[in-house]
Amino acid sequence: MYSIEPVPLPHDGPADISLWRVDFAFDASLADTAFTALSDDERVRAKSFRRQDDALRFASVRAALREQLARRLGIAADAVRFTSDANRRPHLADFNALDFNVSHAGAHGLVAMSPERRVGVDVEHHSDKFDWHSIASLTLDASEAAWIEQLDAARQVAAFYDAWVAKEALVKATGVGITRGLQHLTVLPRDSTQVTLRNPIPEDMREMAARWIAAPDGYSACVAWSATTFA
């Protein structure tokens, strides 16, 4: 039987943020006991995916999230209830002071959680067939695109994904996102694990921080958080 065992991940962010990696088994079945805690709505959503791999990505991350939340809350995993805010960002229906965020791509997912602040996370699988130029205008500041162009071809793809995951994690952590688009955030050049917002910083990003985190080969990942706490 398939069991989901999230791997705790180290990071350089605040100690109240917990982070886990979920590794997918694509030969699993949604009928496995690992998915027992999923709600009827979650099962319907999982079955709505056309590809079985996508269904397993969603179901595995949601099952792992339920288990970690249940441990924090002291309740059964199937008793965890979710709702969404006006921006369709999921949150707990019955508890306020516990924020979470998830992401998945390829063979891995991420779960981030904090009882003190908003969190955002993103992981992306590098694709050698992907031409980053095709969406550069939608995701990169002009200075970032110029900086990537100076790199050798082998490093360009990784640099693009580094920018992508950092911006997505930051936007997800705000809870409302940046209305002007990802290209209005500037996070490159990268010179450490710390994400440095460059150029004029949008108002909704001034209380945010982020760190790139270690990811499996061929992946980029980042975790972001709000500087202010719930208290």
Side-chain angles (χ1 to χ4, degrees):
M1 280 291 186
Y2 174 44
S3 64
I4 301 170
E5 299 294 337
V7 179
L9 295 181
H11 61 83
D12 297 330
D16 56 89
I17 298 175
S18 298
L19 187 64
W20 298 270
R21 189 188 75 231
V22 181
D23 302 325
F24 304 136
F26 294 118
D27 59 349
S29 165
L30 292 176
D32 287 344
T33 56
F35 304 114
T36 300
L38 296 182
S39 68
D40 291 342
D41 287 346
E42 288 167 333
R43 292 183 182 281
V44 169
R45 182 174 173 184
K47 292 177 181 179
S48 71
F49 289 99
R50 296 180 62 183
R51 299 176 64 245
Q52 178 71 359
D53 287 1
D54 292 332
L56 286 168
R57 290 185 183 100
F58 166 77
S60 297
V61 168
R62 186 53 70 96
L65 173 64
R66 279 184 169 277
E67 185 61 35
Q68 298 305 323
L69 287 171
R71 290 177 182 176
R72 289 291 187 92
L73 299 172
I75 62 177
D78 61 0
V80 175
R81 296 196 311 119
F82 300 103
T83 187
S84 298
D85 60 22
N87 296 296
R88 301 180 66 183
R89 188 180 192 271
H91 61 89
L92 288 168
D94 304 312
F95 302 88
N96 292 324
L98 187 59
D99 194 53
F100 61 87
N101 198 238
V102 302
S103 179
H104 54 76
H108 305 284
L110 293 177
V111 175
M113 189 181 304
S114 173
E116 298 186 17
R117 69 193 75 237
R118 297 185 76 99
V119 290
V121 70
D122 195 54
V123 59
E124 297 293 340
H125 184 208
H126 302 179
S127 172
D128 294 334
K129 297 180 180 179
F130 173 66
D131 179 12
W132 64 269
H133 299 86
S134 64
I135 61 170
S137 63
L138 299 176
T139 54
L140 300 176
D141 174 81
S143 66
E144 293 177 311
W147 182 77
I148 293 177
E149 288 282 12
Q150 296 176 359
L151 303 176
D152 61 71
R155 295 174 58 200
Q156 285 186 8
V157 171
F160 171 82
Y161 280 106
D162 280 347
W164 188 349
V165 296
K167 296 181 185 190
E168 286 284 354
L170 284 162
V171 165
K172 292 170 75 176
T174 66
V176 296
I178 180 171
T179 58
R180 295 185 300 159
L182 296 181
Q183 71 273 27
H184 293 285
L185 291 177
T186 307
V187 299
L188 297 178
R190 172 182 173 174
D191 51 20
S192 68
T193 61
Q194 178 176 334
V195 177
T196 301
L197 280 168
R198 307 172 188 275
N199 296 338
I201 302 174
E203 184 68 29
D204 58 355
M205 291 292 165
R206 292 182 179 177
E207 297 297 323
M208 308 303 297
R211 296 288 188 277
W212 282 289
I213 56 178
D217 289 344
Y219 290 79
S220 290
C222 187
V223 60
W225 61 88
S226 61
T228 55
T229 64
F230 296 142

